[in-house]
Each structure stands twice: as C-alpha cells, then as structure tokens.
Amino acid sequence: MNELKKRAGLILDAPDADTNSKLLKICQLLDQEVDYYNWTGFYFRNGEKEELILGPYVGAETDHTIIPFGKGICGQVAVSGETFVVPDVHAQDNYLSCSIDTKSEIVVPIFKDGKNIGQIDIDSHKIDPFTKADEELLQWICEKVAEII
C-alpha cells in the first residue's frame, strides 16, 4: 500500500492537471492496482443541498448519480461523517444496489475545513475483502483530495 500512496501522491500533487483529471486518475490507479476494487468513484455534496452528486469514477455505469443524504451507504456516510465498511451488502437494509455483482463496499468521507464535503466509494465483487490497510490508504487519499479541492 505504500507504493500506492506514493503513486497517488504524485497524481494529486501534479501541478498541471485539473482536479477532476486527478480524481479520475486516482480511480484508475486504485482500480488497476487492487484486484478486489471493482467500482471506484467519488461523490461530492451538491452545494448546500442535502444530496451527493457523482464525480469521477471507474467501473460499470450507475443510475446513482444523485444520492440523498441518509439513503444507501454513501448517504449514511454523508450524515455520519464516519468511514463505513460493509462486508456483505446483502446484510444491509439501507443498501442501494448498483450492480448484482457487488458483494461489499467501503465508503470514506472527505473533510475540508471540518465539513464533510464528499467521499470515496469502492465496491467489490468479493465478500469482506477490505482491511485496515484499505481504510488507512483511502483515508490518506481523502485527506490529500481535501487539500486540492
């Protein structure tokens, strides 16, 4: 994971790329380098509205381009401001199904100036693949993303 951090840092620190390009490259890097990451994307608060809007992502198309706060795992993280690891999405009552292949999910919030402004969302086709190392890497990425937004 240290190598991934290094490569992600280079992407996020690149002086000549715009923010959306950097975020897409982060999604691509994670998708290519972690075999159990099957959908990787960012959601951001839609202005002052209590909803998330889909940002850059890699993976199958999703109908969930806007998610109300409180709805699904992403909507819950928008409210709680805490990382949410779901080992088995079928055991979650408030899960928004994006793909029949998705078996687990991790959502990590992004904070800027003390406000929850968005999150990174990762789905996996495996049951319970996410480790403490995944959480730490994604939290680090979210801290770095907050610096460039």
Side-chain angles (χ1 to χ4, degrees):
M1 292 285 177
N2 281 341
E3 179 61 27
L4 267 179
K5 256 190 194 179
K6 184 177 172 186
R7 291 172 63 193
L10 290 172
I11 291 168
L12 293 170
D13 292 337
D16 56 344
D18 68 77
T19 301
N20 275 344
S21 296
K22 291 178 183 184
L23 296 179
L24 181 58
K25 286 179 182 175
I26 291 295
C27 294
Q28 291 166 337
L29 173 70
L30 294 173
D31 182 70
Q32 292 164 4
E33 297 299 323
V34 184
D35 67 347
Y36 51 91
Y37 287 13
N38 300 109
W39 191 96
T40 302
F42 289 94
Y43 282 94
F44 291 98
R45 184 177 184 131
N46 189 6
E48 291 303 312
K49 295 180 184 175
E50 295 219 336
E51 66 185 20
L52 298 166
I53 190 160
L54 181 62
Y57 74 95
V58 171
E61 282 192 41
T62 179
D63 292 336
H64 303 152
T65 56
I66 294 178
I67 299 175
F69 280 20
K71 192 164 168 93
I73 308 307
C74 290
Q76 285 178 242
V77 170
V79 172
S80 73
E82 296 177 7
T83 295
F84 197 164
V85 180
V86 182
D88 180 358
V89 296
H90 301 294
Q92 280 294 318
D93 291 340
N94 195 17
Y95 172 67
L96 285 176
S97 180
C98 293
S99 162
I100 58 169
D101 297 321
T102 299
K103 301 211 174 11
S104 57
E105 182 174 13
I106 183 171
V107 179
V108 179
I110 301 168
F111 286 93
K112 185 165 185 89
D113 302 325
K115 288 185 177 175
N116 184 346
I117 60 160
Q119 54 200 230
I120 190 168
D121 175 22
I122 297 177
D123 294 349
S124 178
H125 295 170
K126 296 181 192 262
I127 294 270
D128 199 17
F130 302 113
T131 66
K132 231 3 166 184
D134 291 299
E135 283 186 60
E136 289 169 6
L137 171 67
L138 296 173
Q139 286 168 347
W140 181 86
I141 286 173
C142 287
E143 288 168 13
K144 293 289 283 179
V145 166
E147 294 173 9
I148 66 166
I149 289 184

